[in-house]
Amino acid sequence: MAIRVLAALLALGVPAGACLLCFTTYSQRLRLCHMFAGRPGPEIDKCEAAFTAAFKTLSDVEINYDEKSHLHDTFTQMTHSLQELAAAGGSYRIGFAGAARKMKNAILQLKQAQACIPPCGLQDFARLFRCRGCYSRDCDLPLDCPVRDVMVPRGDQAMFPCVVNYQLPQEEIAYSWKFAEGLRTQDVNYFRDVPGAHGYLARIRPVQSKHSGTFSCVIKQDQRLLARLYFFLNVTGPPPRAETELQVAFREVLRWAPRDAELLEPWAPSLGELLARPEALTPSNLCLLAAVAAVAAASATLLAWVFIRWYLSGS
């Protein structure tokens, strides 16, 4: 009879010792009652009802999801202790009540989950496990963060930090950048990939009218989407004067990008910057320097030979 009542309660969505039902199986509970009460009969039904009733105060418990395995181990230890009590001829009523008190104290000792930090992003540190229904619950926050408006005069520098206001996991974090030209949008269908930009910090210099639009930073952990940030770049100022592409390229060569920054457009360091920054000496740059040095040495040798020939012929 008690089993039928318990099934009806569950069908109506009413938890009866929900944590008990999440972390023990029906077979485990039935076996315990057989050990306490003996053969099947009315006493078995009373034992099962007493078991769930003792844990009814734990029906709406929510715990830090990371502590779920710890709580499962604690329930396993509880089951073993009750088996020992049954083997010693103890009372199931006293045993269940004592086990429920100990379990409640154990739950109070678990590490609490942190609160969700708005406005956006997947936040594993705030994930909860709820005994009512035996399911996990994430923050009710969107993965898409609100668009940030960035206003930059033409010719200046635009900087986009892909940073959320909570701590990301420590491993396998990847950043990618996308651009929707001329639009203020969060619709992923309008974005195209920006090659060469893979860090948490991206910038453009000098900013031109063609850069107006929405830049999106996508944060992933092992291909799992954590958040998408959006920056709407509004380029202000008069239209550009007659300026050749060569002048623009020359100005970019004279500028230096920090190590932790990613350019949204191709960038080439000058010779002085290569020599001043050893970390900029990539294999391709080293080959370029070697080629320049070889040409310089050959030119010096040729000039020296021409000078000697001229000097000897004059004398």
Side-chain angles (χ1 to χ4, degrees), residues 22 80 242:
C22 290
H80 291 160

Side-chain angles (χ1 to χ4, degrees), residues 9-23:
L9 289 174
L10 292 176
L12 293 173
V14 180
C19 278
L20 177 68
L21 303 182
C22 290
F23 294 102

